[in-house]
Amino acid sequence: MTLFRQIYSLLFGLFLLVVASLGYVQFTQTQNFLTKQMESDLNNTSNSLGIMLIPDLEAGDIVGAETLINVIFEGGYYQQVKLTWLVDGKQQVWENPVNIQGVPQWFIDLDFFETIKKESTITSGWIQLARLEITAHPGFGYHELWGTMTNAILVFSILFLIAIVCARVGLTWILRPLHEIAEHAKNIAQRKFGPDMKVPKTMELKSVVLAFNSMSDQLKQIFNSLDEEVGELRKKNLIDQVSGLPNRQYMMGHLSSWLSEPKSGALVMAKFDWLEEVHSKYGYQVRDETIKLLSQKMKEHLDVITPSVIARIAAYEFAFLISSAEHEQTSKYLQTLIRTINQEMSKAGCKPNENFSIGIAERIGQMSVTDILAQTDNALQKAIKEDKVFHWFETNEKQLFTREQWREHLSNAINNRQFKFKWQPVHLNDGDSITQRELYCQLEIGDKTIHAGQFMPYVELLSLGALLDKCLIETLTTQKLLERNYEPIAINLTFHSLSDPKFHEWLNGFLRASSLSERICFDIPEAGVYSDPDSCEALCTIIRDNGAHFGIDHFGRQFGSMAYLQTLRPSYVKLDQSFAYYDESEHSSELCRALINVARGLDIQVIVTGIEEKQQLERFVPLKTSAYMGYINPPVEVEEI
């Protein structure tokens, strides 16, 4: 029971006790007063009637005596009058039935008034004429007592209601600071650090509020310091100090993660020998300034074409990872890159289209990091050898389908539910327990099995992401996947779904209609959080309000603040696969530890991804992560469960 209800119940009970006491006192006093009043009235009537009857009794006038008694009997509250003539023993009785108007019978049956009688002997001198016995009628007492009590109850009820309302309003106002303290404490327990509470006027609560505000500020500073530590470690370990671009280590990790995902694109490597000419002419300071300006211009111009990662991997070598693009878009990217380089060369006094070479290799089919690096380096060496500005790596492998063919196949697959499914278990670190299963899909076209890595780039490219996500989510119900096992099922949401209001509305309706929404998890890519934070927050609110769960995928890949964790409040984060390959001797382990501490500090489950060997998993034991997944436990067909 809440403190408000306890105090409210106490005041309610005390008020009832006071009202009951006052009612009892009022009742007994009224009862005693009416009893004495009826006794007094009976005595007066008995004495008066006895005196008035003496003449008639002396004369033996029976009719006169009866007439006199009838007048008195009919005008008062008397139940019975009995007159006994002592001369001959004759007795005459007058009676009134106990019939009281305006008083309920149950009240009369309670017998609050005892029978009141007055017996007297009428004498004339020393001669006894008659005996007079009068019994009071209780109607007067019951009528007056009932009227008094009903009026008292009405007044007390009105006062009671007024007091209860005033007590509720007053307690609400008095206990409002305490309620705010409770909510603030709950938020702190959930690692939500909002604005400080207002200091109340109540002396007892003032110190408590000040203590909570101080605690909240300290925890907020701890989180901010962890966030700053992550930023500093990224600068120290993953950022090239001269250009401000990511370094080789970051590019290799990002490249590994990119190849493990269903994406398309290309890797570009460039060697700028003209920077050595700048160095020899103007010194290393001008060279470094030129590198910095060149990096800024490349980011400014190339990000407009398509999202990419630009890294300085050696003194005069740069790498460009185009994470999602077709051949035409990659060509446009290449032309913009060449134009930007020539502009900066002209500013530095060098001849355009000389002393730099570019090699390009597109991602086709299943590739490893070694494969794409070797192809890109071959293309670069070919351009250098043939003294060309750029060279595309030539491969005999062709794309499976054209863009329009992909549109047709994917649309048919979505409309006709032609996908097949696998799921990969996510194991807890402390045993073989499974915390969730991540769902994957594949497609069969003709006699070919198409993996997600082959068709997902075209799903994003053709803006079919929301339709595909609807299809996969509805499959949970149509194929009863949630009923096949007890673990939650995680679904990766596409970028298109994150920012599509219609998908948000549809998902809200689906989750409301689902009786197992608490066993559905949604993986949201971290890049989507940074690119459209408002839409992501709206989507996360829908998921949370309907009892489902969500997590952040590729956690730690993007450069930026981790403050979004406080806003979105995910249930879990999946550490980017690049961290699965960190070497304990490298500084990247410090960054990995800091990222995990940020999440754990907000009570968020940390899942390590990309684990292939037990040795990799053992590296994360000291970091106290929660769970892991990877090809150490590969995906299995849904039908096998």
Side-chain angles (χ1 to χ4, degrees):
M1 184 182 291
T2 63
L3 179 62
F4 175 86
R5 290 186 177 180
Q6 291 179 0
I7 297 176
Y8 194 67
S9 300
L10 177 62
L11 293 178
F12 184 84
L14 290 175
F15 193 85
L16 280 180
L17 181 63
V18 171
V19 168
S21 301
L22 291 175
Y24 177 76
V25 171
Q26 177 73 16
F27 177 81
T28 54
Q29 287 182 346
T30 302
Q31 184 186 21
N32 293 333
F33 173 76
L34 291 173
T35 301
K36 290 179 180 179
Q37 187 175 2
M38 286 190 294
E39 289 177 350
S40 176
D41 181 67
L42 191 61
N43 287 332
N44 293 335
T45 301
S46 178
N47 293 332
S48 300
L49 184 59
I51 293 172
M52 288 187 291
L53 285 174
I54 290 175
D56 293 328
L57 293 175
E58 288 177 337
D61 187 358
I62 297 175
V63 175
E66 290 179 351
T67 301
L68 185 60
I69 291 175
N70 284 333
V71 172
I72 297 297
F73 184 74
E74 292 175 359
Y77 273 104
Y78 307 107
Q79 184 177 350
Q80 187 185 72
V81 176
K82 187 186 294 184
L83 181 64
T84 305
W85 299 77
L86 297 178
V87 176
D88 55 5
K90 182 181 178 182
Q91 190 179 67
Q92 194 166 358
V93 179
W94 289 264
E95 287 186 334
N96 247 341
V98 181
N99 186 14
I100 306 171
Q101 299 294 328
V103 180
Q105 186 60 41
W106 64 267
F107 189 74
I108 298 172
D109 294 339
L110 294 176
D111 293 330
F112 290 118
F113 297 101
E114 297 179 355
T115 302
I116 302 174
K117 294 182 180 180
K118 177 65 178 178
E119 187 177 339
S120 62
T121 302
I122 302 173
T123 61
S124 177
W126 296 100
I127 301 173
Q128 294 183 345
L129 301 176
R131 183 178 296 109
L132 180 65
E133 181 181 315
I134 304 176
T135 302
H137 196 294
F140 171 74
Y142 281 111
H143 191 274
E144 291 297 321
L145 184 62
W146 175 254
T148 302
M149 294 311 299
T150 51
N151 290 335
I153 289 173
L154 180 62
V155 172
F156 284 148
S157 298
I158 294 173
L159 291 176
F160 180 75
L161 291 174
I162 294 173
I164 288 298
V165 172
C166 292
R168 187 174 186 85
V169 174
L171 281 176
T172 301
W173 182 77
I174 293 172
L175 295 178
R176 183 172 56 186
L178 194 59
H179 177 72
E180 292 177 356
I181 290 173
E183 289 297 320
H184 201 70
K186 189 185 299 182
N187 289 337
I188 291 176
Q190 296 175 354
R191 312 300 196 274
K192 297 179 181 178
F193 311 121
D196 289 345
M197 293 183 291
K198 294 181 180 179
V199 179
K201 296 180 180 179
T202 307
M203 294 298 298
E204 289 81 357
L205 297 178
K206 186 180 293 184
S207 59
V208 178
V209 170
L210 290 174
F212 268 101
N213 285 342
S214 176
M215 185 190 307
S216 179
D217 289 339
Q218 291 177 23
L219 290 174
K220 193 186 301 183
Q221 289 175 8
I222 291 173
F223 177 82
N224 291 336
S225 64
L226 286 173
D227 194 17
E228 291 173 1
E229 181 183 355
V230 170
E232 291 300 321
L233 287 172
R234 278 175 170 161
K235 277 186 181 180
K236 176 182 176 182
N237 301 320
L238 302 179
I239 300 295
D240 177 65
Q241 300 303 313
V242 176
S243 64
L245 297 174
N247 59 17
R248 183 182 186 86
Q249 181 180 340
Y250 178 81
M251 175 57 78
M252 292 301 104
H254 198 88
L255 187 61
S256 175
S257 298
W258 174 63
L259 290 173
S260 66
E261 299 167 11
K263 298 256 181 152
S264 63
L267 178 64
V268 180
M269 294 181 66
K271 187 176 182 183
F272 301 149
D273 291 330
W274 61 273
L275 290 173
E276 179 61 35
E277 182 181 345
V278 174
H279 183 201
S280 61
K281 286 183 179 179
Y282 308 108
Y284 75 92
Q285 291 181 332
V286 175
R287 180 203 61 187
D288 290 351
E289 186 64 26
T290 303
I291 292 174
K292 185 176 181 181
L293 291 173
L294 174 64
S295 302
Q296 292 174 353
K297 292 297 182 181
M298 288 191 299
K299 288 181 62 177
E300 179 182 338
H301 294 157
L302 297 177
D303 284 347
V304 178
I305 307 301
T306 185
S308 62
V309 178
I310 307 173
R312 186 187 181 202
I313 59 176
Y316 303 133
E317 292 186 17
F318 290 75
F320 306 81
L321 178 58
I322 306 171
S323 56
S324 182
E326 284 190 299
H327 182 81
E328 293 79 6
Q329 201 168 12
T330 303
S331 297
K332 186 177 179 182
Y333 186 95
L334 177 62
Q335 296 304 320
T336 304
L337 173 61
I338 295 172
R339 184 168 58 252
T340 303
I341 295 170
N342 283 328
Q343 289 174 353
E344 295 306 309
M345 289 178 68
S346 298
K347 293 178 183 178
C350 300
K351 293 181 180 180
N353 292 324
E354 291 185 6
N355 292 328
F356 75 90
S357 302
I358 301 173
I360 313 103
E362 291 184 289
R363 176 179 173 179
I364 299 176
Q366 299 293 325
M367 301 181 72
S368 66
V369 175
T370 304
D371 293 337
I372 197 166
L373 284 175
Q375 291 181 6
T376 310
D377 186 63
N378 286 339
L380 177 61
Q381 297 304 321
K382 186 81 170 177
I384 294 172
K385 184 177 180 180
E386 296 180 0
D387 196 22
K388 297 193 302 186
V389 172
F390 65 90
H391 181 78
W392 291 79
F393 180 81
E394 297 178 0
T395 177
N396 295 326
E397 189 173 354
K398 297 181 180 179
Q399 295 288 354
L400 288 173
F401 306 106
T402 64
R403 181 190 292 195
E404 290 307 313
Q405 287 174 331
W406 273 118
R407 185 190 299 276
E408 181 181 354
H409 288 310
L410 290 171
S411 297
N412 289 336
I414 292 171
N415 294 330
N416 299 319
R417 305 290 194 268
Q418 295 176 348
F419 294 98
K420 291 191 173 182
F421 299 97
K422 289 185 176 183
W423 49 23
Q424 185 172 24
V426 178
H427 286 269
L428 293 172
N429 288 349
D430 54 1
D432 294 330
S433 302
I434 297 175
T435 183
Q436 65 174 233
R437 295 180 184 272
E438 186 170 327
L439 193 67
Y440 299 105
C441 62
Q442 58 187 27
L443 181 61
E444 289 189 358
I445 301 177
D447 58 348
K448 297 180 180 178
T449 299
I450 312 299
H451 298 284
Q454 295 171 281
F455 65 78
M456 280 304 297
Y458 291 93
V459 169
E460 294 283 3
L461 184 66
L462 299 171
S463 299
L464 298 175
L467 293 176
L468 176 62
D469 287 343
K470 287 181 183 179
C471 173
L472 299 183
I473 295 169
E474 287 176 342
T475 300
L476 297 177
T477 302
T478 57
Q479 296 193 15
K480 298 182 178 180
L481 297 184
L482 292 171
E483 300 173 11
R484 298 196 183 193
N485 62 291
Y486 296 103
E487 299 88 11
I489 296 178
I491 295 178
N492 291 279
L493 293 179
T494 60
F495 284 87
H496 188 247
S497 296
L498 301 182
S499 55
D500 186 357
K502 292 183 179 179
F503 176 80
H504 293 188
E505 184 178 351
W506 175 88
L507 183 62
N508 188 36
F510 175 86
L511 292 176
R512 284 186 179 179
S514 175
S515 60
L516 298 173
S517 59
E518 72 280 358
R519 289 175 53 199
I520 304 176
C521 300
F522 298 94
D523 287 357
I524 298 174
E526 188 181 55
V529 176
Y530 283 107
S531 62
D532 195 352
D534 294 336
S535 294
C536 282
E537 185 174 355
L539 179 62
C540 293
T541 300
I542 290 173
I543 295 172
R544 186 188 300 108
D545 290 348
N546 285 285
H549 304 277
F550 67 92
I552 304 300
D553 203 8
H554 314 307
F555 178 64
R557 175 183 294 185
Q558 305 297 316
F559 288 113
S561 172
M562 301 285 105
Y564 71 84
L565 293 176
Q566 293 188 68
T567 304
L568 299 184
R569 310 298 304 170
S571 301
Y572 59 90
V573 293
K574 292 184 176 178
L575 205 62
D576 190 62
Q577 288 194 17
S578 60
F579 292 101
Y581 302 99
Y582 83 82
D583 188 346
E584 289 181 293
S585 62
E586 295 180 359
H587 294 299
S588 56
S589 61
E590 299 177 16
L591 175 59
C592 184
R593 185 187 300 275
L595 283 169
I596 293 171
N597 287 339
V598 169
R600 290 182 66 248
L602 294 173
D603 198 25
I604 298 172
Q605 186 184 43
V606 180
I607 300 173
V608 183
T609 63
I611 299 297
E612 297 182 1
E613 301 173 352
K614 194 171 182 180
Q615 184 179 1
Q616 281 180 300
L617 182 60
E618 290 174 352
R619 295 177 185 172
F620 288 91
V621 172
L623 303 183
K624 298 181 180 179
T625 54
S626 306
Y628 66 94
M629 64 180 294
Y631 275 85
I632 192 173
N633 296 298
V636 296
E637 298 287 343
V638 171
E639 288 75 12
E640 294 179 10
I641 299 295

